Amino acid sequence: MEEKYNLDPDSLQLVKKFEDQMKKGMLDFFPEEDFELIIGYYTSKKKFDKALDACTIAVERFPYSTELKFMKAQILSNLGHYEEALELLDNALIYQPNDEEILLIKGSIYSLMGKHNLAIKEYEKVLENSEAKDEVLYNIGMAYQNSGKYEYAIASYEKALEINLDNENVLYELAYCLDITGKLEDSISYYRKFIDRDPYSQYGWYNLGIVYNKLENFEE
């Protein structure tokens, strides 16, 4: 987000204008796009309190904007206000019931709350139509993993690698789960496939070496 909101001088002037008017208590009309820019700037700088103030005003002025509600929910989540964020997202889903971004952030919030079963339900809603199925499966796997259901996590990670073998995050978590469940040898085939695709991968060779070391196969 920081790169997206790397503001040019004119845009920085917009933020300054907003802050000056907020101090005076006299806020002029700002288009929805300007609010998105201002909120995005504050968020990229991790100024979440200021971002929330701007979001609150923006949502009041544009009550039917799902994008603004989505942005506010993200900020509320960053501040730990999970229930309020979920309520806002549910309201946004009334207007866009199949919005992938909204469902994904709902899932991430449930995961942060430790409600992993609810997180999985949200992720599964977007799985079929998502263009990044490996990432969704990764999120599902992490939810299972964090709830101690390693076998289900392994199944999700394996499906993700069938779609995209180059996803290093999936491969790393899969190896971890295989290690936890005493199936460390099974990870060797995945690392070898990864190396076959990218023979110069430091990540692949290094982690394959770690596996062999744990198995006390020092020669390999």
Side-chain angles (χ1 to χ4, degrees):
M1 181 172 284
E2 187 164 355
E3 183 177 341
K4 179 179 178 181
Y5 295 104
N6 186 13
L7 303 187
D8 56 41
D10 290 339
S11 299
L12 286 170
Q13 188 66 29
L14 172 67
V15 175
K16 185 177 184 303
K17 176 183 175 183
F18 174 77
E19 291 181 345
D20 288 343
Q21 291 187 8
M22 284 286 287
K23 289 177 183 177
K24 295 175 182 177
M26 298 176 60
L27 198 62
D28 292 340
F29 174 79
F30 285 83
E32 181 178 344
E33 293 77 11
D34 284 357
F35 272 116
E36 290 178 8
L37 193 64
I38 293 165
I39 296 161
Y41 170 78
Y42 285 139
T43 304
S44 72
K45 300 299 181 184
K46 301 190 185 305
K47 297 179 179 180
F48 297 122
D49 288 332
K50 286 189 175 183
L52 183 58
D53 288 340
C55 252
T56 300
I57 296 169
V59 170
E60 287 175 355
R61 295 193 175 190
F62 301 95
Y64 300 107
S65 170
T66 55
E67 178 62 26
L68 289 173
K69 290 177 182 177
F70 175 74
M71 295 179 80
K72 184 175 181 180
Q74 286 183 305
I75 295 162
L76 288 168
S77 177
N78 286 327
L79 292 170
H81 304 318
Y82 301 132
E83 295 291 351
E84 191 176 350
L86 289 171
E87 183 179 348
L88 200 61
L89 291 171
D90 284 336
N91 184 271
L93 284 169
I94 294 173
Y95 304 99
Q96 291 183 245
N98 298 312
D99 188 283
E100 182 173 336
E101 277 192 307
I102 295 175
L103 293 169
L104 287 174
I105 193 174
K106 274 193 72 178
S108 69
I109 291 172
Y110 279 132
S111 285
L112 289 169
M113 297 172 72
K115 298 181 178 181
H116 302 298
N117 288 337
L118 292 177
I120 290 166
K121 287 181 180 179
E122 297 301 326
Y123 294 140
E124 287 179 340
K125 290 177 184 177
V126 304
L127 183 57
E128 182 177 351
N129 297 317
S130 176
E131 293 183 0
K133 287 183 172 60
D134 62 311
E135 287 297 328
V136 179
L137 286 163
Y138 169 72
N139 288 333
I140 292 173
M142 287 298 296
Y144 278 127
Q145 182 176 324
N146 289 329
S147 58
K149 298 179 180 178
Y150 296 109
E151 295 294 344
Y152 288 101
I154 289 170
S156 294
Y157 294 143
E158 287 178 336
K159 289 178 183 177
L161 289 178
E162 288 175 6
I163 297 168
N164 180 15
L165 187 61
D166 295 328
N167 194 319
E168 292 185 3
N169 289 329
V170 173
L171 192 61
Y172 177 85
E173 297 301 339
L174 174 60
Y176 172 79
C177 288
L178 290 170
D179 190 357
I180 287 290
T181 56
K183 300 177 181 178
L184 194 58
E185 290 185 3
D186 293 348
S187 65
I188 293 174
S189 63
Y190 289 104
Y191 284 121
R192 288 206 170 278
K193 288 178 185 176
F194 187 82
I195 290 169
D196 286 343
R197 291 273 292 274
D198 183 5
Y200 298 100
S201 170
Q202 293 181 355
Y203 170 86
W205 286 111
Y206 179 77
N207 284 280
L208 181 60
I210 289 176
V211 172
Y212 280 129
N213 186 61
K214 287 183 177 181
L215 293 172
E216 297 185 1
N217 190 341
F218 301 120
E219 184 177 347
E220 286 292 339

